[in-house]
Amino acid sequence: MADKHEASGWTVTAESSLRKVFREKSSFDLGDRADIRVCLSAAKNEYESFQLILSPSDEEDLKGVHVKVSDLINEDGGWVIPKEEIEVFRVGYVETKKLRYPVEHVGWWPDPLLPMGSFDVKKDEVQPVWVTVHVPPG
């Protein structure tokens, strides 16, 4: 799951919830992805998550980013997951230091899920947004 949509000055890409997305733009390959499609599979009363990766153009930072959600409606229009069942968080980072034993990554490590609000993204970084969808019991 990794498609891309480009707009003026920024790119958004979908990514699995299983992948750690590091802050440095150089560590994340946007690749050649045509559009954003996220396929989720969940039964009644289950939760499923994915990430949206925001990447500014190389020329300037993104300022005052807001993320909004809408109802999810299947292609036939028969099933709806109301937007109230969708949670969105900004992925935060904690700085890790070099240890005496080898580790996967030293530097900014994606970990906390922060409340969504307006945020900025530096031109040399990417910003994951964590999306969790709850499938209602009915």
Side-chain angles (χ1 to χ4, degrees), residues 5 7-13 25 52-67 90 118-129:
H5 174 72
S8 178
W10 58 281
T11 302
V12 62
T13 303
K25 187 185 277 189
L52 294 174
I53 313 303
L54 303 175
S55 176
S57 69
D58 292 333
E59 288 82 42
E60 59 186 78
D61 298 346
L62 285 177
K63 302 274 187 184
V65 177
H66 295 274
V67 177
R90 182 169 52 94
S118 177
F119 60 91
D120 300 335
V121 185
K122 294 181 181 177
K123 64 183 177 184
D124 57 344
E125 297 178 353
V126 296
Q127 176 61 59
V129 173

Side-chain angles (χ1 to χ4, degrees), residues 17-36:
S17 61
L18 299 177
R19 180 171 179 198
K20 292 282 188 190
V21 177
F22 297 105
R23 172 185 260 177
E24 302 80 15
K25 187 185 277 189
S26 60
S27 71
F28 185 77
D29 179 19
L30 290 171
D32 184 24
R33 302 166 182 167
D35 79 281
I36 295 179

Side-chain angles (χ1 to χ4, degrees), residues 26-127:
S26 60
S27 71
F28 185 77
D29 179 19
L30 290 171
D32 184 24
R33 302 166 182 167
D35 79 281
I36 295 179
R37 292 183 192 257
V38 177
C39 297
L40 301 175
S41 295
K44 294 177 180 182
N45 212 27
E46 286 187 340
Y47 294 83
E48 192 64 44
S49 298
F50 63 95
Q51 299 177 82
L52 294 174
I53 313 303
L54 303 175
S55 176
S57 69
D58 292 333
E59 288 82 42
E60 59 186 78
D61 298 346
L62 285 177
K63 302 274 187 184
V65 177
H66 295 274
V67 177
K68 293 182 181 181
V69 298
S70 64
D71 294 346
L72 297 179
I73 304 169
N74 76 335
E75 293 174 352
D76 299 334
W79 295 96
V80 176
I81 297 177
K83 65 184 177 183
E84 293 78 23
E85 299 291 343
I86 304 168
E87 292 183 290
V88 182
F89 301 94
R90 182 169 52 94
V91 175
Y93 290 86
V94 292
E95 189 171 17
T96 60
K97 306 287 184 190
K98 186 173 181 175
L99 301 170
R100 288 181 257 172
Y101 52 87
V103 293
E104 178 185 342
H105 180 82
V106 174
W108 292 103
W109 184 268
D111 187 53
L113 297 179
L114 306 173
M116 186 52 65
S118 177
F119 60 91
D120 300 335
V121 185
K122 294 181 181 177
K123 64 183 177 184
D124 57 344
E125 297 178 353
V126 296
Q127 176 61 59

